[in-house]
Amino acid sequence: MPELAIFIGLQASGKSTYYRLHLSNTHVHVSKDRFRNNRRPARRQAELITEALAAGRSVVVDNTNATVGLRRELIDLSRSHGATVTGYYFASKLADCLTRNATRTGKDRVPDVGLFSVAKALVRPSPDEGFDRLFHVTLVARGTFAIEPWNDTTSPDGSDRRAAASHEPSPDSSEGTHEGRLRRPDEAV
């Protein structure tokens, strides 16, 4: 059964890097960034998702997907093709994303106002939206991500609301952290 993976998070939070290192061998990549000159990018995105799912291929939607409404459209489209839906919420701090974005060049660099706009509109996902699985993904270091099953006590920036200090995996611990080749959340470490 094909899967629709919905990436959710600010620009420069690691979404495209995660895709390249983690899902590029198994999922078709669909991103509105690839059709900047298209007058109707949402329609083109839906066409590409439909083509892939109809052919039995899994798809990653690599956009900010900041609102429940945007995600609802994707979940409904996925369900109409009998695909499972997995959400990946890229928890990040706006300041960190602004810093990473500043190192980008050309069309890859997003105007800062774009990040502020998405940060204001971003609604944390919820299992109630219809996800079969939902994960928190945190960029820990370049090429290293902490992947955890959804937990409502984790704040939007990835810190644990129950703890006074932010949650950072211990360098000696491999729990939830995958270095080098990134693994799917259900793969053994």
Side-chain angles (χ1 to χ4, degrees), residues 11-170:
Q11 303 93 324
S13 61
K15 297 182 306 295
S16 296
T17 299
Y18 185 89
Y19 169 78
R20 275 192 313 276
L21 297 174
H22 193 46
L23 297 173
S24 62
N25 291 329
T26 58
H27 290 65
V28 174
H29 186 250
V30 175
S31 172
K32 291 179 186 174
D33 291 345
R34 291 186 166 186
F35 24 90
R36 296 178 203 268
N37 296 325
N38 191 310
R39 295 175 122 184
R40 301 179 81 169
R43 183 184 70 190
R44 182 65 182 139
Q45 174 180 276
E47 289 170 353
L48 293 172
I49 293 168
T50 296
E51 287 172 14
L53 293 178
R57 295 189 314 262
S58 293
V59 180
V60 165
V61 180
D62 180 6
N63 299 318
T64 61
N65 297 307
T67 66
V68 174
L70 289 170
R71 296 190 295 263
R72 168 59 41 214
E73 291 175 18
L74 296 170
I75 291 168
D76 289 346
L77 181 59
S78 177
R79 296 288 183 227
S80 71
H81 291 282
T84 61
V85 182
T86 303
Y88 292 85
Y89 176 69
F90 288 77
S92 56
K93 295 179 182 173
L94 176 59
D96 294 341
C97 292
L98 288 165
T99 300
R100 282 190 294 272
N101 185 55
T103 66
R104 293 175 168 182
T105 59
K107 292 181 179 180
D108 289 337
R109 190 174 191 294
V110 178
D112 287 352
V113 69
L115 276 93
F116 286 110
S117 175
V118 171
K120 185 176 180 179
L122 184 62
V123 176
R124 285 170 41 107
S126 165
D128 295 337
E129 292 178 41
F131 294 102
D132 294 305
R133 299 183 314 161
L134 185 56
F135 296 97
H136 277 276
V137 181
T138 307
L139 180 60
V140 179
R142 187 177 190 123
T144 305
F145 293 85
I147 307 164
E148 300 173 348
W150 187 255
N151 179 343
D152 285 330
T153 63
T154 304
S155 68
D157 67 2
S159 60
D160 191 326
R161 291 182 193 172
R162 296 172 300 185
S166 65
H167 169 75
E168 293 186 23
S170 161

